[in-house]
């Protein structure tokens, strides 16, 4: 069982920055991939970024490339999402998720979400 707890959301003006944190606990090993997703009102949940615990390999959704950075601290079992140059369209509930590293694995574990609101 993996427990994920997000924090760091809030209200920010366009162009500002926020850093989200995801603290993971429970049965947790290096064969996991951690991800950030977001869901805006009236829209489906979408992938934002992911990082492999083992080697730090990262992937990003197109619209956040160059603005968002995902990172991890293995000693704290914590994943971060640094969000810079925020835009109103980044407004959403952001979720942390975890899955096994094997290709085709489902995102089985989810946090409760944290709200990010960007004003224009």
């Amino acid at each position: 069982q993996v427990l994920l707890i997000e924090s760091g959301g809030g209200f920010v003006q366009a162009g500002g920055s926020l850093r989200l944190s995801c603290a993971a606990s429970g049965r947790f090993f290096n064969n996991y991939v951690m991800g950030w997703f977001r869901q805006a009102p009236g829209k489906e949940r979408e992938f934002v970024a992911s990082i492999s615990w083992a080697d730090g390999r990262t992937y990003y959704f197109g619209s956040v490339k160059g603005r968002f950075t995902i990172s991890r601290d293995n000693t704290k079992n914590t994943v971060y999402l640094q969000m810079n140059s925020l835009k109103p369209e980044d407004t959403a509930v952001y979720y942390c998720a975890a899955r096994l590293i094997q290709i085709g694995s489902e995102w089985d574990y989810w946090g409760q979400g944290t709200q990010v609101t960007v004003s224009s």
Side-chain angles (χ1 to χ4, degrees), residues 29-59:
F29 304 100
N30 277 340
N31 57 339
Y32 274 84
V33 174
M34 302 296 296
W36 286 98
F37 291 73
R38 66 186 182 186
Q39 187 167 20
K43 295 186 177 181
E44 293 189 353
R45 188 175 298 184
E46 65 179 11
F47 171 81
V48 175
S50 67
I51 187 167
S52 168
W53 273 114
D55 60 12
R57 187 173 301 183
T58 59
Y59 294 95

